[in-house]
Amino acid sequence: MDKIGIIVSNENPKSLAMAMNLGHTALASNIEVITYFTFDGLTHLMEGEKDLSAIEPLLDAGMPNPYDLLDQFVADGSDLVSTVACTTTLDMLEWEQEAMDDSVTTKFAGAATFLNEVDDADQVFTF
């Protein structure tokens, strides 16, 4: 396996944690990861404080903060990681690209670009 795609369309931080766990595992195996944030999942790339109350018990039990995992994923991934903010969703919701956190957003693109980039992917996962 040389490339996977991950679609994050859910705003729950637990979904981000699962996506980042998969992404980090792929990186450890030297697998390219294209992560596409769309619809409610796009909120994970936005600047500002994040509400972690939905996963507080998991954090208390030792689960890493999913936003720290996202930061580390992008920092460690180099050329193997793309985190793509869906431009169609941004346009539809009338959100500005400037609202996205540059430290974790590596690219802006629509669904057609994502599909083209994962055309040769071994797997595409959705969270």
Side-chain angles (χ1 to χ4, degrees):
M1 193 177 311
D2 296 317
K3 182 192 292 188
I4 65 168
I6 300 174
I7 301 170
V8 180
S9 61
N10 188 314
E11 68 185 342
N12 189 320
K14 187 165 55 172
S15 293
L16 178 63
M18 291 184 292
M20 291 300 95
N21 183 48
L22 181 63
H24 280 278
T25 302
L27 283 181
S29 300
N30 206 37
I31 296 171
E32 181 180 359
V33 184
I34 301 165
T35 311
Y36 188 64
F37 292 83
T38 188
F39 291 102
D40 293 336
L42 194 55
T43 60
H44 299 301
L45 297 181
M46 294 182 80
E47 290 183 330
E49 288 295 314
K50 308 295 186 205
D51 180 10
L52 296 171
S53 59
I55 61 167
E56 196 73 38
L58 296 171
L59 295 171
D60 290 343
M63 183 182 92
N65 181 319
Y67 296 101
D68 293 343
L69 292 174
L70 175 59
D71 289 340
Q72 184 181 4
F73 178 64
V74 174
D76 294 348
S78 189
D79 294 338
L80 288 177
V81 167
S82 296
T83 52
V84 184
C86 177
T87 54
T88 305
T89 300
L90 286 170
D91 291 344
M92 188 174 51
L93 297 176
E94 297 180 355
W95 292 353
E96 298 295 324
Q97 286 188 8
E98 292 77 25
M100 299 298 108
D101 185 343
D102 291 340
S103 69
V104 293
T105 307
T106 65
K107 188 177 199 175
F108 292 90
T113 300
F114 172 73
L115 290 175
N116 187 51
E117 289 189 20
V118 296
D119 185 48
D120 60 344
D122 298 289
Q123 298 275 344
V124 176
F125 303 89
T126 303
F127 294 96

